[in-house]
Every structure is written in structure tokens, then in C-alpha cells.
């Protein structure tokens, strides 16, 4: 649940003014091969933990204050931002691989992340990119 405006940009009609939204966030992690010996793409507990940390930055917040430089915090923008936040956490916190190579101490999880942010069953946006 967030509050935000589109800074009275006329392209957004009445939504240009301050209003609230309740999002549902789905995240899909994928890679070419399962992690050897574990047969998973990613530890589901770790994935849930990372997503909870990311979402806590925005939940019950006014996005106009979180992003004070006048960004238009569209659903698309927020899907990309959540993706970027997850990617950064993976780069700093994860030490697993999705290939058949040795899992060295400095190896990082590699694959794709798709973030889908739902405003309703009719209104949603997604952002997908590779993490390497």
C-alpha cells in the first residue's frame, strides 16, 4: 500500500493528484540450469527475504517523499525500481550460481528476474532483465 501523485501531470487525469494504491508484487527468478546438487533456481526462503526487504522501503510510504526529485512513480517505474533493488541485493548478498561451474566464494547468482506489479486484475506492469 502506497500513496503518490503524478505531480498534477495532465496526462494522468485525476490520478495526477495525490491518491493511494495497493499493489500485489510477483517476482519470477529464472536461469538456464538448476543449481547443481540443490536442484533449485534460488532458495525460496532467501528470495522471500530479499523481496520483503525491498518492499519494506516502499510499503505504507508516500512515494513523492521516497522519490523527491519529481519522478513519475508509475506502476512501470516501480516494477523497474523493485527489480533494480533486488538486483543490487543479489549482487551484494547472494553467493550461488546457476551454471555447472564451481560455486566459488565470490560467485554470484546469475539469471533473470521478472517483477510484475499488480494494481488490480486489469491493471499491471512488469519489468524483466538479466542479472549477471
Amino acid at each position: 500500500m502506497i500513496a503518490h501523485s503524478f505531480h498534477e501531470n495532465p496526462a494522468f487525469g485525476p490520478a495526477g493528484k495525490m491518491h493511494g494504491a495497493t499493489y500485489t508484487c510477483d517476482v519470477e527468478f529464472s536461469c538456464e540450469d538448476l543449481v547443481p546438487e540443490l536442484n533449485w533456481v534460488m532458495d525460496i526462503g532467501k528470495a522471500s527475504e530479499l523481496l520483503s526487504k525491498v518492499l519494506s522501503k516502499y510499503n505504507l510510504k508516500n512515494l513523492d517523499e521516497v522519490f523527491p526529485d519529481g519522478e513519475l512513480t508509475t506502476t512501470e517505474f516501480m516494477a523497474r525500481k523493485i527489480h533494480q533493488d533486488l538486483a543490487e541485493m543479489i549482487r551484494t548478498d547472494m553467493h550461488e550460481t546457476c551454471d555447472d561451474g564451481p560455486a566459488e566464494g565470490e560467485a554470484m547468482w546469475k539469471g533473470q528476474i521478472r517483477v510484475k506489479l499488480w494494481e488490480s486484475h486489469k491493471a499491471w506492469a512488469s519489468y524483466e532483465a538479466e542479472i549477471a
Side-chain angles (χ1 to χ4, degrees), residues 16-67:
K17 297 181 188 244
M18 184 63 66
H19 62 281
T22 301
Y23 292 125
T24 300
C25 185
D26 292 334
V27 178
E28 178 182 325
F29 298 89
S30 61
C31 58
E32 289 195 21
D33 294 305
L34 299 178
V35 174
E37 298 179 23
L38 299 173
N39 287 332
W40 66 23
V41 170
M42 177 185 283
D43 178 335
I44 193 73
K46 185 66 173 179
S48 181
E49 176 188 319
L50 293 174
L51 182 58
S52 291
K53 283 182 187 177
V54 167
L55 295 179
S56 72
K57 294 169 48 175
Y58 309 114
N59 193 31
L60 302 175
K61 303 279 187 347
N62 178 347
L63 298 182
D64 292 358
E65 295 172 2
V66 175
F67 302 99

